[in-house]
Amino acid sequence: MARITFEVPPEAAGSRIDAFLAASAEGLSRSAAARLLEEGRVLCGGKAAAKNLRLAGGEVVEADLPEPEALDVKAQDIPLDVVYEDADVIVVNKPKGLVVHPAPGHSDGTLVNALLHHCAGSLSGIGGVLRPGIVHRIDRDTSGLIIAAKNDAAHLSLSAQLQDHTLARTYECLVTGSLKEDRGTVDAPIGRHKADRKKMAVVSGGKEALTHWEVIERYPGCTYVRCRLETGRTHQIRVHMAYIGHPILGDTVYGAKKAVPGLQGQCLHAVGLRFIHPRTGELVELSCPLPQEFQTQLRALRSRR
């Protein structure tokens, strides 16, 4: 049994405890949080919490996560671009097209299958059967750095760092159009699209989502942008940039429906990762180069200036 602990910030006052847990614990859905509450596995202020409890802010919420189920996902010898690895964590430069974890339609051939082979089964169990070791996710057609935990202690530490922003992720992308300012912040809640449940959208009542952005270079009809995440909502950068009128180049879900020649998926890359090592307490800062097709797009844009 693994226990996670969160202090409720003032801005979460009025939130239901199941929604707060789902927003705070990476990989924990609201339905899973509700089950933990029903089973008496969640304490608020040291007392068992009701599923419909409204938080006041300042409380300490503790949740006992069940022991992981027996793993039934097979290990597969899939090449990995390992950027950093030790006994506690592994950081991989994920290529476009590689799904992070098994899901309907992608039962194998995922990053999880590759990690199980590479790490010889040494991954944390907190993520459950289908997501062993996975602390955060990257979209299938987004490339770049992703970290996985090799044991539960490392997983809990990294999950807590996601909440307090010690674990910081930096992305670079090409967006359509010309941003008027040199930098800014998109503070807009994200939830399921009301008409298309496969998509995300900025919606009233969605989960808090903050994206900081700054312009790196400008080109005719396109802007090279660096984004830093404070939260990690599904499709966050893609949704936020589309929301301010500058969808990511090649994003046929949130932008133009026509694919960009020479570009698979959106031109979005997780270029940087910073975290406190869960065992040593030392700051680890990592980066990786832009993928070839991103660099090709940049060269073409620069040649037209």
Side-chain angles (χ1 to χ4, degrees):
M1 186 86 59
R3 173 162 291 194
I4 55 176
T5 302
F6 300 101
E7 182 174 346
V8 181
E11 57 267 26
S15 300
R16 276 178 50 131
I17 191 168
D18 56 347
F20 171 76
L21 275 174
S24 301
E26 183 73 19
L28 188 69
S29 67
R30 188 162 179 174
S31 59
R35 284 196 300 274
L36 293 178
L37 286 155
E38 290 169 355
E39 295 168 1
R41 297 176 184 265
V42 181
L43 303 179
C44 183
K47 298 180 180 180
K51 185 169 67 174
N52 60 353
L53 174 68
R54 295 278 177 178
L55 298 168
E59 304 100 320
V60 173
V61 174
E62 302 169 272
D64 289 325
L65 300 180
E67 292 297 328
E69 303 170 48
L71 189 64
D72 62 0
V73 178
K74 62 182 179 181
Q76 292 178 296
D77 187 3
I78 301 170
L80 290 174
D81 180 4
V82 178
V83 177
Y84 177 92
E85 183 178 13
D86 59 26
D88 298 290
V89 300
I90 180 170
V91 179
V92 172
N93 180 10
K94 187 192 82 68
K96 280 189 178 185
L98 182 63
V99 176
V100 170
H101 56 77
H106 298 283
S107 59
D108 59 12
T110 71
L111 177 62
V112 163
N113 297 105
L115 287 171
L116 286 171
H117 179 273
H118 180 89
C119 300
S122 177
L123 291 171
S124 71
I126 291 174
V129 174
L130 299 179
R131 304 180 184 181
I134 299 302
V135 178
H136 66 102
R137 289 165 287 172
I138 295 181
D139 298 343
R140 175 183 180 178
D141 287 331
T142 297
S143 56
L145 299 180
I146 181 169
I147 188 169
K150 290 189 174 183
N151 53 65
D152 288 357
H155 199 135
L156 290 171
S157 172
L158 294 170
S159 293
Q161 291 182 49
L162 273 176
Q163 292 304 309
D164 65 15
H165 314 310
T166 308
L167 195 161
R169 292 160 290 167
T170 302
Y171 290 73
E172 291 182 5
C173 58
L174 285 170
V175 303
T176 59
S178 179
L179 289 153
K180 294 180 180 179
E181 307 295 331
D182 290 334
R183 59 184 50 83
T185 296
V186 185
D187 181 356
I190 291 176
R192 288 288 170 189
H193 194 287
K194 293 181 180 179
D196 185 348
R197 303 300 290 176
K198 293 182 180 180
K199 294 174 58 175
M200 308 302 289
V202 171
V203 295
S204 176
K207 293 182 179 180
E208 179 189 26
L210 283 90
T211 302
H212 304 288
W213 59 266
E214 61 177 322
V215 172
I216 299 173
E217 291 181 345
R218 300 176 186 274
Y219 318 103
C222 206
T223 309
Y224 183 16
V225 176
R226 180 178 296 115
C227 294
R228 182 174 60 82
L229 294 179
E230 274 205 34
T231 53
R233 307 306 174 208
T234 302
H235 299 175
Q236 179 172 319
I237 294 176
R238 298 166 63 191
V239 170
H240 271 172
M241 298 314 289
Y243 177 69
I244 62 173
H246 299 280
I248 293 174
L249 186 71
D251 191 343
T252 57
V253 175
Y254 299 103
K257 302 304 178 187
K258 187 176 180 181
V260 176
L263 189 61
Q264 175 190 338
Q266 58 271 2
C267 206
L268 176 63
H269 181 67
V271 70
L273 181 69
R274 186 186 73 231
F275 62 96
I276 302 298
H277 194 279
R279 186 182 299 271
T280 67
E282 296 180 353
L283 178 66
V284 180
E285 294 186 272
L286 303 169
S287 62
C288 64
L290 296 173
Q292 190 59 50
E293 63 177 8
F294 196 140
Q295 296 184 43
T296 298
Q297 292 294 327
L298 284 175
R299 284 195 294 270
L301 288 165
R302 287 165 178 161
S303 70
R304 293 198 290 266
R305 283 195 300 191

